[in-house]
Amino acid sequence: MTTRSETPRRPLLFGCVTLAVLAICLLAWVGWRVFPLYRYGQRSQRIWEKLYALKQRRPPNVTPRLWEESVGWAVTAHSNICFSVGHASNEAMCRFEEQLDEKLKGEVDLATIQWIGDRLAETGPHGQRYMGEWRKQWKTLQEWWKQETPPGQ
């Protein structure tokens, strides 16, 4: 038999358990929503670092300015296309990273920058639109930059 002094504890205990369950559910929901975004950001950062590292791999037949600008354009394109899951899906970005890793095992040149642009266009509609504009501008600037004398010539 319950005494009068034990009765007020049951609603308090029930309230604490309910509050704890709600807090756990809220944390699980936040984790479920935030963790994929965190992973997406980490992958995007890794790709950015790989693209940026191309600055150190300038081919001898390309001027320093042309190479630096070309790599800069590739890095910027990646940042603008793989900005969020709404711009490029995680799956598309994973495919791009796998293909990029394979491509970067070999020699790099201006065709590599073009290849990066082509692969970024395949990440989805946003990538297609962005790269359509990027290609026009990059081609014009590439012609202008090529007027510089390559090193060793």
Side-chain angles (χ1 to χ4, degrees):
M1 178 172 226
T2 1
T3 62
R4 195 170 186 86
S5 62
E6 293 176 2
T7 307
R9 290 186 181 171
R10 281 191 183 169
L12 180 62
L13 180 62
F14 179 75
C16 289
V17 169
T18 302
L19 187 60
V21 168
L22 288 174
I24 290 169
C25 290
L26 178 64
L27 288 174
W29 180 82
V30 167
W32 176 72
R33 297 293 291 169
V34 171
F35 185 69
L37 298 177
Y38 173 77
R39 274 193 0 236
Y40 187 93
Q42 291 296 309
R43 181 175 305 277
S44 183
Q45 180 64 31
R46 255 194 339 264
I47 294 170
W48 185 94
E49 289 168 358
K50 292 172 187 179
L51 293 174
Y52 190 81
L54 288 174
K55 285 188 176 194
Q56 306 305 316
R57 295 179 63 186
R58 180 180 60 83
N61 65 337
V62 178
T63 65
R65 182 175 179 195
L66 174 56
W67 187 248
E68 186 173 327
E69 293 288 341
S70 298
V71 171
W73 277 69
V75 168
T76 300
H78 160 72
S79 297
N80 288 330
I81 292 169
C82 298
F83 178 74
S84 72
V85 179
H87 289 88
S89 71
N90 194 46
E91 294 79 16
M93 198 166 53
C94 287
R95 275 192 310 277
F96 174 69
E97 184 178 26
E98 289 169 6
Q99 293 170 344
L100 179 66
D101 288 343
E102 199 59 37
K103 185 72 169 177
L104 296 182
K105 288 179 182 175
E107 295 296 315
V108 296
D109 56 15
L110 290 174
T112 306
I113 303 298
Q114 182 65 46
W115 179 90
I116 289 168
D118 293 342
R119 295 293 93 52
L120 284 170
E122 293 174 3
T123 60
H126 180 71
Q128 290 170 353
R129 281 191 306 276
Y130 186 93
M131 291 313 300
E133 290 301 313
W134 181 85
R135 282 187 191 104
K136 292 176 200 172
Q137 294 174 12
W138 189 64
K139 187 173 182 173
T140 301
L141 289 172
Q142 191 177 18
E143 291 301 319
W144 182 64
W145 291 324
K146 280 186 179 178
Q147 294 174 10
E148 297 178 5
T149 307
Q153 292 185 1

